[in-house]
Amino acid sequence: MTVGFIYPDHAAESDYPLAATLLNANLVVVHTYGTDLHAVAELRDLGSPAKLAEGVALLRAHRPAAVMFACTSGGFVYGPDGAADQIAGLAAVAGVPASSTSFGFVHALAALGCSRVAVAASYPREIADLFANFLAAHGITIESMGNADIETAAEVGCLTPEQVQALALANDNPNAEALLIPDTAMHTVAHVEALERLLGKPVLTANAVTVWEGLRIADLPRHVNGLGRLFT
């Protein structure tokens, strides 16, 4: 079975074929396009019903068993209720189960039994705060949150593994049960296990969480070595 991913623009989509190889899964990524800016209006456009319908149309020939909106900020920017309406609308248009990276974080934390987190966000503070509010609305305690104040996904996609590691180290908190790195524009799938060894706790990164959530809603196997504790 195929899981489809609607990924806005281009940045770190190469994480998906890497995960697919490790999982021996059929993961299909299609792209929609908008303004590459971490700002409320632009992010709401990326997650709008019209943009999601475009993505569903691109996936139709692949006959996916489930569809994911692979953009954390394009979900939580709508708020908890709006993000829920967003994926309900996506499921209705796609005719299959659907979810988003934002809800993937909530479900992944529940699967790991974690409720206290630190957040290492690439976003400007206004956007990072909206992510924190979304998590809090789902009963998750934010022990600390740092943000790198990066304005575009293209810039995030250019971060080196060393820069990602530095972001994680700078924003961990000893009281947090897990560290969250919420931007799907950041290359992280190849580095999750190294980050977990470094911090000694689960590290949930956006693209890994998106893949896990897509497999979960499609009721497909999601246990493999190489993608961190979430997949064990």
Side-chain angles (χ1 to χ4, degrees), residues 136-161:
H138 290 91
I140 298 160
T141 300
I142 314 300
E143 295 290 348
S144 62
M145 182 176 70
N147 67 293
D149 205 31
I150 300 174
E151 292 190 351
T152 70
E155 293 172 275
V156 174
C158 291
L159 294 177
T160 66

Side-chain angles (χ1 to χ4, degrees), residues 99-112:
S99 189
S100 66
T101 310
S102 290
F103 278 101
F105 275 105
V106 173
H107 298 147
L109 287 167
L112 290 169

Side-chain angles (χ1 to χ4, degrees), residues 40 52 54 72 76 96 99 118 141 162 191 201:
V40 170
L52 295 178
E54 287 178 23
T72 322
F76 68 69
V96 296
S99 189
T141 300
E162 292 76 19
H191 314 302
K201 65 183 63 175

Side-chain angles (χ1 to χ4, degrees), residues 1 3 5 14-28 189-190 192-193 207-216 218-232:
M1 288 194 291
V3 179
F5 298 84
S14 60
D15 274 5
Y16 292 84
L18 175 58
T21 298
L22 290 170
L23 289 156
N24 192 28
N26 190 18
L27 311 180
V28 174
V189 163
V192 174
E193 290 208 326
N207 287 326
V209 163
T210 306
V211 170
W212 180 87
E213 177 76 344
L215 295 172
R216 185 189 71 82
D219 198 25
L220 291 172
R222 51 192 183 277
H223 301 289
V224 71
N225 293 324
L227 290 175
R229 297 188 199 181
L230 180 61
F231 287 84
T232 59

Side-chain angles (χ1 to χ4, degrees), residues 2-217:
T2 297
V3 179
F5 298 84
I6 301 170
Y7 188 103
D9 297 295
H10 297 275
E13 65 269 27
S14 60
D15 274 5
Y16 292 84
L18 175 58
T21 298
L22 290 170
L23 289 156
N24 192 28
N26 190 18
L27 311 180
V28 174
V29 179
V30 299
H31 297 276
T32 56
Y33 297 93
T35 302
D36 180 14
L37 188 64
H38 286 144
V40 170
E42 287 76 7
L43 293 170
R44 287 178 66 90
D45 176 63
L46 292 179
S48 67
K51 284 289 197 301
L52 295 178
E54 287 178 23
V56 169
L58 292 169
L59 285 169
R60 192 78 68 190
H62 300 281
R63 301 172 64 89
V67 172
M68 287 293 300
F69 178 40
C71 178
T72 322
S73 53
F76 68 69
V77 75
Y78 279 88
D81 293 338
D85 291 341
Q86 179 188 65
I87 61 171
L90 177 57
V93 171
V96 296
S99 189
S100 66
T101 310
S102 290
F103 278 101
F105 275 105
V106 173
H107 298 147
L109 287 167
L112 290 169
C114 298
S115 61
R116 302 190 316 275
V117 304
V119 177
S122 57
Y123 315 124
R125 189 69 189 193
E126 177 188 14
I127 305 303
D129 283 342
L130 293 175
F131 181 55
N133 293 343
F134 178 85
L135 295 174
H138 290 91
I140 298 160
T141 300
I142 314 300
E143 295 290 348
S144 62
M145 182 176 70
N147 67 293
D149 205 31
I150 300 174
E151 292 190 351
T152 70
E155 293 172 275
V156 174
C158 291
L159 294 177
T160 66
E162 292 76 19
Q163 288 173 311
V164 172
Q165 182 181 103
L167 180 69
L169 277 171
N171 292 291
D172 189 25
N173 184 292
N175 296 320
E177 298 166 312
L179 175 74
L180 312 188
I181 303 178
D183 199 337
T184 54
M186 191 183 299
H187 294 276
T188 55
V189 163
H191 314 302
V192 174
E193 290 208 326
L195 290 171
E196 291 190 338
R197 287 193 298 270
L198 183 67
L199 299 180
K201 65 183 63 175
V203 176
L204 299 183
T205 71
N207 287 326
V209 163
T210 306
V211 170
W212 180 87
E213 177 76 344
L215 295 172
R216 185 189 71 82
I217 63 173

